[in-house]
Each structure stands twice: as C-alpha cells, then as structure tokens.
C-alpha cells in the first residue's frame, strides 16, 4: 500500500473514514481505512534551490511600479507605429 501524503491547496474527504484534523497550524486529512487518502493543505515546496526565473516582461518581479512602466512603454510603442 502506498501511504505517501499528497500536498494540495484544497483538501477534501475522499471516503466516510476520512477525517480532517488541524495539527501544527496545518490542515490534514487522515483516513483509517485507506492510507492512500492522506493529504496536507499547503504549498508544495521543492528541495532544490534553483527555481525558474521569469522573463524581463514579467510584471510580478518589480511590483506595481514595474508593471506601470511596462504598460507606459508598450503604449508609447503602439502609438509610434
């Protein structure tokens, strides 16, 4: 039997034996019948430190000021052509 825990943003009971419990500030689903139903609510984090980097056109890197500047530059480029 595979009893590895699934990490999900939205957990739910998969059968009648599943119970939702709060431990250490997190929500868990534990199942007495099927250990495969184990779940934890949260964001899955990878152990590697290298993450994908965004392109220069990504708006969330510099926040609102960067996205506003990009919108202004794209609007200026559109009017000159």
């Amino acid at each position: 039997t595979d009893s590895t825990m699934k990490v999900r943003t939205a957990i739910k009971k998969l059968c009648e034996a599943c119970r939702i419990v709060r431990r250490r500030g997190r929500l868990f689903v534990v199942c007495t019948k099927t250990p495969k139903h184990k779940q934890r609510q949260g964001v899955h984090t990878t152990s590697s430190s290298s993450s994908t980097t965004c392109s220069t056109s990504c708006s969330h890197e510099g926040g609102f000021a960067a996205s506003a500047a990009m919108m202004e530059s794209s609007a200026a480029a559109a009017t000159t052509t």
Side-chain angles (χ1 to χ4, degrees):
T1 59
D2 184 26
S3 64
T4 58
M5 185 171 293
K6 297 171 188 69
V7 180
R8 297 182 171 167
T9 56
I11 60 172
K12 55 189 166 188
K13 295 179 181 182
L14 298 176
C15 69
E16 292 180 0
C18 290
R19 300 287 180 245
I20 296 179
V21 295
R22 180 178 289 269
R23 296 178 183 163
R24 301 179 303 273
R26 290 194 171 144
L27 287 174
F28 292 86
V29 172
V30 291
C31 187
T32 55
K33 284 186 180 177
T34 313
K36 202 161 77 169
H37 291 175
K38 286 197 308 188
Q39 303 168 53
R40 175 179 68 88
Q41 187 177 31
V43 179
H44 177 70
T45 58
T46 57
S47 60
S48 65
S49 62
S50 64
S51 63
T52 58
T53 57
C54 296
S55 63
T56 56
S57 64
C58 186
S59 63
H60 75 270
E61 286 294 324
F64 179 74
S67 62
M70 285 193 322
M71 289 172 68
E72 289 175 6
S73 65
S74 64
T79 57
T80 58
T81 58

